């Protein structure tokens, strides 16, 4: 046996940068490696929605995803071609990509197959010059040169998934969850289910499941997954049936996969162990110097072991030499729920609820700053502890102290406040604060507490939406005092949603099926005698909302409240006076347009999931099934709509939006992951303290807009040559203006230096930059 503890980590070269205006990027979770494959000189690691490519000679890593070349999103497995130069990528929906020589070739035959049920690619195996794909309904044989389907085999008659396929001697084996099928490779009629027989040496299961097959030294091995925790095992298939000598003393073994390395069996779980034929250990890979190993797959080549790890992404292990974590910048987890951007930092929480029910998602919080991601979860944050904090739903940064961050959850620890460079955490619960336990539908406490949203105001007071309680709105002041607010019986014991604060200090929040509330404390959060509130619903005199299911709230530069619901949106134009209004005086208005003689509401009954306001006062809408939509500042014009059909947006189902108003990058949480798009609007800067012009120089191969950022809000912008001749003019979107490199007549400008002049509409012009155009 060789047992090796490795002592150092070498970090790889990264090839990542911010994106240009009008460009997209997919934020691939970088630590949860799913599968790994090695070709000639390259190592490919599959992640939830991307594939990293590591060049062994240059030590450089890059990422392929649906934005920059792959044809699909949710990846399930990898496989290598016979020539050793190509890697095949299988997807959950049956799609296949072949990546070879920096080119992606899509093979959509399985995805497009007219079959019912799952088409998922479960495994990819090479045999006799062909690629065999175990799918949700059949085994599909594909020619890796012509990239076309040669045959399809149906051991389960297309009714049940094939999880794996292997070849041994003159036989082909197909593994289903409950049994093993066997056929002859010489049989040209394997498309006929009757040509397959159930291998009687393998017991047919009524519960639990088989998962994977491997052939090692002409012996067949099966991975058995038990429903009971820690009861997985590996069987060897002999003439007499299944036997096992896999009797490890490791506690709670949850086996993730089995592989073949150096013609020996490799078992992957909390360690990666290579076994001799007598089940003695040939090699143990665990632990790693940079943390616990959680291997999902292992392959080896030329004495080097490559591990797709659940915590570290890609790990390179060379016995008696080194262990290396080969990483790229990406979110540490693949779970995303809501976001907050402040102080040049994006904060993301990974949690969720389903119909008021906990999902027990303990992904935690991620910080994205200077193109690097950090993780804060129950492992890294001791105050949360194991099985105490989960379903993180909201996050907010104190505008007066970047190091003070509040995180809300639906758990035993509903509110956490980070203070002091993310090191100290104050956990607040119903046991040490006025926070209340949540009430179930039957009226009883469930032991958990819901904080669905948190927001700091300009004074550093933390406003807390503590739903499913008697007093859903609470405040924790900058001085450390608490106050709760009674907003009437209609607000009690309802599941809470969103919270926003407008420029007058009014708090607007939504309760599930309960419309929206507006609350103003007159600047005295502790004193309650001057408080005022309104309750807006879909009633004609009580708010005029499109629906009582308010799902999004945004405040624009004119202090107008934009209200999204599951049946369209409306705008409260008189937010300043509405808080003291009587019935009929605080109604929201739906924006109407006349089209071909018909009057219609803008966006109709579209289900809105979030609304954010950009630096030009335009409104970005996230929707449940129509992608993202950009409306003009007044909402009368649809400026853009991005969907999976016309853009790199990875899903039309959007959960949350957040804008980096310094760069204009719009972050978009979807049901398939996190993607972002750099818009052409930012906050204006009247001081011109940090004007940026990019790209500069603009070279002939650049076909995007030239962007000017950091100028004054709503500026007139003129582009002149050095002689002062105007070649182009426009108006900025907030603090950003763009130029397509052409004249006002649409002709490309000549090579040369061009000056950029800006001025507010009522002010004096000034030169703010120059750009070199090379044509």
């Amino acid at each position: 046996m060789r047992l090796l503890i490795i002592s150092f980590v070498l970090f790889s070269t990264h090839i990542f940068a911010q994106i240009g205006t009008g460009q997209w990027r997919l934020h691939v979770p970088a630590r949860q490696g799913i599968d790994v494959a090695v070709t000639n000189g390259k190592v490919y690691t599959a992640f939830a929605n991307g594939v990293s490519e590591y060049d062994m000679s240059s030590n450089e890593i890059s990422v392929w995803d649906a934005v920059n070349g792959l044809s699909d999103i949710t990846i399930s497995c990898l496989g290598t071609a016979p020539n050793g130069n190509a890697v095949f990528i299988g997807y959950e929906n049956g799609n296949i990509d072949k990546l070879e020589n920096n080119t992606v070739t899509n093979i959509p035959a399985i995805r497009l197959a007219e079959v019912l049920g799952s088409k998922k690619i479960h495994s990819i195996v090479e045999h006799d010059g062909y690629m065999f794909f175990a799918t949700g309904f059949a085994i599909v044989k594909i020619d890796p040169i012509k990239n076309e389907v040669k045959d399809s085999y149906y051991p389960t008659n297309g009714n049940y998934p094939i999880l794996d396929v292997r070849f041994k001697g003159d036989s082909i084996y197909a593994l289903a969850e409950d049994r093993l099928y066997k056929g002859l490779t010489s049989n040209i009629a394997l498309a006929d289910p009757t040509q397959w027989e159930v291998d009687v040496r393998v017991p047919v299961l009524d519960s639990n499941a088989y998962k994977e097959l491997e052939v090692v030294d002409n012996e067949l091995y099966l991975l058995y997954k038990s429903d009971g925790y820690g009861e997985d095992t590996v069987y060897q298939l002999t003439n007499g049936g299944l036997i096992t000598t896999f009797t490890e003393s490791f506690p709670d073994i949850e086996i993730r996969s089995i592989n073949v390395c150096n013609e020996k069996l490799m078992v992957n779980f909390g360690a990666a162990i290579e076994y001799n034929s007598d089940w003695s250990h040939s090699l143990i890979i665990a632990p790693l110097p940079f943390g616990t190993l959680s291997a999902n797959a292992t392959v080896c080549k030329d004495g080097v072991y490559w591990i797709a790890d659940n915590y570290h992404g890609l790990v390179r292990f060379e016995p008696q030499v080194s262990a290396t974590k080969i990483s790229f910048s990406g979110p540490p987890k693949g779970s995303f729920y809501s976001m907050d951007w402040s102080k040049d930092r994006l904060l993301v929480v990974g949690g969720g609820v389903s119909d008021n029910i906990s999902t027990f998602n303990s992904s935690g919080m991620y910080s994205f700053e200077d193109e690097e991601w950090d993780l804060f979860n129950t492992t890294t944050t001791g105050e949360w502890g194991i099985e105490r904090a989960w379903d993180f739903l909201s996050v907010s940064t104190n505008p007066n102290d970047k190091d003070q961050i509040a995180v809300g959850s639906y758990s035993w620890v509903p509110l956490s406040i980070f203070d002091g460079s993310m090191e100290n955490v104050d956990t607040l619960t119903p046991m040490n604060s006025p926070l209340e336990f949540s009430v179930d539908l039957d009226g009883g406490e469930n032991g958990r507490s819901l904080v669905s949203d948190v927001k700091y105001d300009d004074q550093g007071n933390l406003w807390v939406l503590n739903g499913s309680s008697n007093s859903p709105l609470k405040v924790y002041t900058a001085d450390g005092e608490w106050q709760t607010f009674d907003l009437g019986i209609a607000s009690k014991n309802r599941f809470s949603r969103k919270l926003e604060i407008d420029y007058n200090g009014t708090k607007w929040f939504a309760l599930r099926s309960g419309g929206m509330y507006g609350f103003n404390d007159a600047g005295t959060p502790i004193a309650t005698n001057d408080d005022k509130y309104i309750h807006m619903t879909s009633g004609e005199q009580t708010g005029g909302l499109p629906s009582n299911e308010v799902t999004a709230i945004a405040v624009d530069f004119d202090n107008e409240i934009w209200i999204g619901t599951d049946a369209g949106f409306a705008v409260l134009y008189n937010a300043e006076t509405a808080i003291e209004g009587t019935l009929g005086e605080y109604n929201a208005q739906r924006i109407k347009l006349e089209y071909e003689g018909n009057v219609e509401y803008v966006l109709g009954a579209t289900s809105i999931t979030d609304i954010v306001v950009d630096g030009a006062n335009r409104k970005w809408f996230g929707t449940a099934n129509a992608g993202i939509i950009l409306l003009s500042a007044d909402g009368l014009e649809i400026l853009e709509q991005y969907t999976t059909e016309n853009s790199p947006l990875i899903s039309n189902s959007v959960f949350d939006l957040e804008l980096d108003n310094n760069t204009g990058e719009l972050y978009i949480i979807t049901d398939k992951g996190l993607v972002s798009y750099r818009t052409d609007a930012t906050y204006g800067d009247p001081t011109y303290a940090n004007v940026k012009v990019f790209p500069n120089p603009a070279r002939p191969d650049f076909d995007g807009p030239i962007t000017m950022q950091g100028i004054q809000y709503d500026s007139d912008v003129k582009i002149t040559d050095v002689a002062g001749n105007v070649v182009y003019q426009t108006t900025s979107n907030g603090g950003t203006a763009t130029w397509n490199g052409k004249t006002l007549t649409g002709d490309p400008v000549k090579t040369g230096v061009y000056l950029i002049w800006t001025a507010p509409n009522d002010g004096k012009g000034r030169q703010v930059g120059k750009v070199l155009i090379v044509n």
Side-chain angles (χ1 to χ4, degrees):
M1 182 187 78
R2 291 175 287 158
L3 176 60
L4 189 63
I5 305 298
I6 306 302
S7 59
F8 68 93
V9 180
L10 174 66
F11 289 93
S12 63
T13 302
H14 296 167
I15 312 175
F16 299 96
Q18 288 186 346
I19 53 177
T21 302
Q23 294 181 340
W24 296 75
R25 61 173 165 172
L26 180 59
H27 298 269
V28 177
R31 302 189 190 180
Q32 296 175 304
I34 297 171
D35 201 0
V36 62
V38 179
T39 63
N40 295 329
K42 301 286 182 69
V43 182
Y44 296 90
T45 309
F47 297 86
N49 47 24
V51 173
S52 71
E53 177 184 301
Y54 173 67
D55 190 306
M56 288 184 272
S57 60
S58 66
N59 291 326
E60 291 184 339
I61 189 169
S62 56
V63 175
W64 292 87
D65 57 48
V67 170
N68 67 9
L70 298 186
S71 66
D72 227 306
I73 300 160
T74 309
I75 297 167
S76 56
C77 60
L78 300 177
T80 52
N83 62 11
N85 293 323
V87 62
F88 286 85
I89 304 167
Y91 295 91
E92 294 277 346
N93 64 357
N95 213 352
I96 299 170
D97 281 335
K98 184 175 81 170
L99 178 54
E100 184 176 19
N101 298 327
N102 212 38
T103 300
V104 176
T105 302
N106 182 229
I107 307 172
I110 298 174
R111 178 179 65 84
L112 298 176
E114 295 183 359
V115 297
L116 299 176
S118 171
K119 303 175 187 177
K120 177 180 177 179
I121 308 297
H122 289 280
S123 69
I124 305 173
V125 176
E126 184 273 329
H127 176 72
D128 198 24
Y130 290 95
M131 305 302 298
F132 293 81
F133 294 79
T135 77
F137 65 97
I139 299 170
V140 180
K141 178 181 178 181
I142 290 181
D143 185 326
I145 304 300
K146 297 181 180 180
N147 303 319
E148 62 184 22
V149 174
K150 302 301 293 183
D151 213 339
S152 296
Y153 307 149
Y154 297 89
T156 65
N157 202 21
N159 295 322
Y160 302 100
I162 304 299
L163 302 184
D164 209 351
V165 57
R166 286 296 185 275
F167 296 84
K168 177 178 177 290
D170 61 356
S171 299
I172 175 174
Y173 293 87
L175 185 67
E177 283 190 346
D178 64 342
R179 66 193 70 192
L180 180 66
Y181 294 89
K182 180 180 179 181
L184 291 174
T185 55
S186 59
N187 188 345
I188 62 173
L190 289 178
D192 182 356
T194 64
Q195 300 301 303
W196 292 80
E197 61 181 27
V198 175
D199 194 321
V200 296
R201 297 172 298 171
V202 177
V204 176
L205 300 178
D206 294 322
S207 60
N208 304 316
Y210 301 116
K211 182 184 177 183
E212 197 171 346
L213 281 172
E214 278 295 357
V215 176
V216 183
D217 194 22
N218 206 36
E219 298 292 339
L220 195 62
Y221 294 86
L222 287 84
L223 171 56
Y224 169 84
K225 294 289 291 181
S226 172
D227 294 336
Y229 186 82
E231 299 176 3
D232 300 343
T233 193
V234 179
Y235 290 110
Q236 181 180 342
L237 180 58
T238 68
N239 291 335
L242 294 181
I243 63 170
T244 179
T245 54
F246 185 83
T247 55
E248 293 291 356
S249 59
F250 298 99
D252 298 334
I253 292 177
E254 285 290 294
I255 303 176
R256 295 184 175 87
S257 69
I258 54 177
N259 300 112
V260 179
C261 275
N262 300 316
E263 298 183 359
K264 297 179 181 180
L265 184 69
M266 178 72 71
V267 180
N268 302 294
F269 50 105
I273 301 182
E274 186 180 83
Y275 290 90
N276 296 312
S277 59
D278 61 358
W279 287 97
S280 62
H281 298 154
S282 173
L283 174 68
I284 299 177
I285 306 175
L288 298 174
F290 38 80
T292 303
L293 184 70
S294 181
N296 281 323
T298 304
V299 297
C300 53
K301 187 173 184 178
D302 300 328
V304 178
Y305 295 76
W306 301 93
I307 305 168
D309 187 77
N310 210 42
Y311 299 148
H312 310 294
L314 174 63
V315 175
R316 181 185 189 273
F317 181 87
E318 191 170 359
Q320 302 177 355
V321 179
S322 66
T324 306
K325 180 169 60 176
I326 300 173
S327 59
F328 59 91
S329 180
K333 299 281 187 177
S335 178
F336 310 96
Y337 187 78
S338 69
M339 301 173 284
D340 176 66
W341 177 86
S342 181
K343 305 290 185 179
D344 300 317
R345 178 180 61 196
L346 181 74
L347 297 173
V348 184
V349 287
V353 288
S354 177
D355 293 329
N356 302 4
I357 305 300
S358 294
T359 64
F360 298 99
N361 185 324
S362 59
S363 295
M365 177 180 71
Y366 331 134
S367 169
F368 184 46
E369 186 174 17
D370 296 329
E371 295 299 303
E372 292 294 333
W373 290 87
D374 287 314
L375 171 65
F376 304 88
N377 64 2
T378 55
T379 300
T380 63
T381 307
E383 290 84 351
W384 283 342
I386 303 299
E387 297 182 353
R388 293 186 68 239
W390 58 84
D391 287 338
F392 302 94
L393 304 179
S394 56
V395 59
S396 180
T397 302
N398 189 336
N400 304 315
D401 183 357
K402 181 179 180 179
D403 290 333
Q404 191 169 72
I405 299 168
V407 180
S409 76
Y410 185 28
S411 69
W412 293 348
V413 185
L415 180 61
S416 303
I417 300 177
F418 288 79
D419 197 2
S421 301
M422 310 293 286
E423 295 177 357
N424 301 316
V425 185
D426 186 15
T427 54
L428 300 166
T429 74
M431 307 304 293
N432 63 4
S433 75
L435 294 172
E436 300 174 66
F437 286 110
S438 296
V439 176
D440 282 332
L441 296 178
D442 60 6
E445 292 181 355
N446 60 24
R448 300 184 293 276
S449 184
L450 168 66
V451 172
S452 66
D453 210 351
V454 287
K455 286 289 186 299
Y456 281 101
D457 64 20
D458 291 339
Q459 289 72 46
N461 303 313
L462 179 65
W463 294 85
V464 179
L465 195 54
N466 180 202
S468 294
S469 68
N470 282 318
S471 302
L473 184 65
K474 298 175 173 65
V475 65
Y476 186 41
T477 71
D479 297 326
E481 295 184 81
W482 278 96
Q483 184 59 276
T484 63
F485 306 98
D486 191 336
L487 303 181
I489 192 168
S491 70
K492 298 181 185 301
N493 301 328
R494 286 186 179 271
F495 202 89
S496 53
R497 291 185 183 272
K498 302 280 190 175
L499 169 68
E500 291 291 340
I501 304 175
D502 72 13
Y503 293 109
N504 291 324
T506 300
K507 292 77 190 174
W508 302 94
F509 66 91
L511 301 178
R512 183 168 291 176
S513 302
M516 185 177 78
Y517 285 78
F519 172 83
N520 192 287
D521 62 296
T524 60
I526 297 301
T528 59
N529 59 332
D530 53 359
D531 297 347
K532 295 181 174 63
Y533 76 89
I534 57 173
H535 179 203
M536 300 177 63
T537 70
S538 58
E540 291 184 4
Q541 298 297 311
T542 57
L545 300 178
S547 166
N548 286 329
E549 288 290 355
V550 174
T551 52
I553 306 170
V555 182
D556 75 3
F557 294 173
D558 301 316
N559 207 46
E560 295 170 350
I561 314 302
W562 292 67
I563 307 160
T565 77
D566 63 349
F569 77 95
V571 185
L572 181 64
Y573 292 102
N574 62 329
E576 295 182 17
T577 60
I579 202 69
E580 300 189 34
T582 59
L583 292 178
E585 294 180 342
Y586 50 83
N587 275 12
Q589 307 298 315
R590 302 198 68 178
I591 300 175
K592 300 177 181 178
L593 287 177
E594 184 174 343
Y595 179 73
E596 295 182 352
N598 297 317
V599 177
E600 300 177 353
Y601 293 126
V602 174
L603 302 190
T606 301
S607 180
I608 310 300
T609 55
D610 200 14
I611 306 171
V612 293
V613 180
D614 70 14
N617 206 28
R618 305 177 303 181
K619 284 73 184 179
W620 291 87
F621 286 73
T623 72
N625 51 31
I628 56 175
I629 301 170
L630 174 62
L631 296 188
S632 58
D634 58 9
L636 291 171
E637 184 180 359
I638 298 177
L639 302 176
E640 300 285 353
Q641 180 173 10
Y642 297 109
T643 67
T644 57
E645 291 73 29
N646 68 1
S647 76
L649 183 65
I650 58 175
S651 172
N652 290 332
S653 180
V654 175
F655 293 163
D656 197 42
L657 303 173
E658 190 66 29
L659 267 165
D660 178 343
N661 282 300
N662 286 344
T663 66
E665 190 162 4
L666 176 67
Y667 294 89
I668 308 156
I669 293 177
T670 76
D671 62 339
K672 293 185 178 179
L674 176 65
V675 66
S676 61
Y677 168 74
R678 192 160 185 173
T679 72
D680 60 355
T682 55
Y683 281 167
D685 183 1
T687 68
Y688 298 92
N690 191 26
V691 176
K692 297 178 181 178
V693 180
F694 60 90
N696 195 3
R699 303 188 183 278
D701 58 351
F702 177 73
D703 60 359
I706 298 163
T707 302
M708 296 141 275
Q709 282 186 346
I711 59 182
Q712 188 163 338
Y713 177 81
D714 198 26
S715 293
D716 287 335
V717 179
K718 293 184 179 180
I719 312 294
T720 72
D721 58 22
V722 292
N725 300 307
V726 175
V727 297
Y728 187 79
Q729 61 185 24
T730 186
T731 300
S732 69
N733 287 321
T736 294
T738 58
W739 175 36
N740 59 8
K742 297 180 180 180
T743 67
L744 291 171
T745 59
D747 299 318
V749 298
K750 298 178 180 178
T751 295
V753 174
Y754 293 84
L755 308 179
I756 302 165
W757 304 79
T758 76
N761 289 330
D762 56 356
K764 184 178 180 181
R766 59 182 290 180
Q767 181 185 334
V768 297
K770 62 180 66 175
V771 61
L772 171 62
I773 305 292
V774 182
N775 285 328

